[in-house]
Amino acid sequence: MSDKRSKQKSKYTLDRNIPGAFEGETVTRRRFMTGTAHTAGAIAASAFALPALGFAIGPIFKSTPHHWEVVGTEGMFTDTNYVPVVLTVAPNIGEAGKTTVYVRKFNPELDTDPYDKGTPYIAISSRCAHLGCPVRWVDAAERFICPCHGGVYDLLGRRVGGPPVRPLDRFYTRVAGESVEVGPRFSVNSELKRFSPRDPGEPLDGIGQYLYPSRPGAQKL
Ligand code: FES
């Protein structure tokens, strides 16, 4: 037992014959400087990483209240043509917080997809699913046309030409009394199956729906 104790290393650097050691010193200066440099590096890295992390995951914990807005009365809309209405998607920032939505009544002859069943109105976003330029409804051609890169969508907002990767997004609708209300946005794939809102350029067919999950906070716009 006493032999074992004698083999134990002393905690003092001087006893361990470390060059340049001072009496009473238990940590070598090299180790102390290395530890200090690592600590300073960790603090500097956290100063960059923590704000970025908070910015990235913060919206997950922020609940976005569902916003419904009256866009007109029932008599304003038909089931054969779209009426553009302006929706405020981000209040208090003026024109930048508004978007145009094309609205028409549900038409059982046109809206035969099972996903549309029960919806009183069809509300189609004017934001192009390619890069987000505003599309325009051209009544004579019965097409939504994007002026930026030639994206073309049919009467139901499905892509029929150009680079967009999915149909135009839609909004939930409801009727309250005589008023027509437009609610949260959702995205659709080429079969008009509904998905939580995606950003422009994110496909929803096949594997795309898994590769591009909905961004937290993408409820609006
Ligand atoms: S933004 Fe519409 S086609 Fe490119």
Side-chain angles (χ1 to χ4, degrees), residues 128-133 135 146-153 162-164:
C128 184
H130 177 220
L131 293 178
C133 284
V135 303
C146 180
C148 290
H149 314 102
V152 183
Y153 304 84

Side-chain angles (χ1 to χ4, degrees), residues 77-155:
F77 305 98
T78 69
D79 63 0
T80 52
N81 204 351
Y82 286 99
V83 174
V85 299
V86 176
L87 203 64
T88 303
V89 287
N92 307 323
I93 57 169
E95 291 302 309
K98 297 183 191 302
T99 190
T100 300
V101 178
Y102 289 95
V103 181
R104 68 168 166 80
K105 260 186 187 152
F106 174 82
N107 183 333
E109 286 176 21
L110 291 174
D111 306 306
T112 52
D113 289 280
Y115 308 106
D116 288 334
K117 208 172 167 192
T119 189
Y121 283 80
I122 303 294
I124 294 194
S125 169
S126 64
R127 188 169 67 158
C128 184
H130 177 220
L131 293 178
C133 284
V135 303
R136 193 166 58 88
W137 168 247
V138 180
D139 188 19
E142 294 196 335
R143 293 282 188 264
F144 292 95
I145 311 272
C146 180
C148 290
H149 314 102
V152 183
Y153 304 84
D154 70 6
L155 186 66

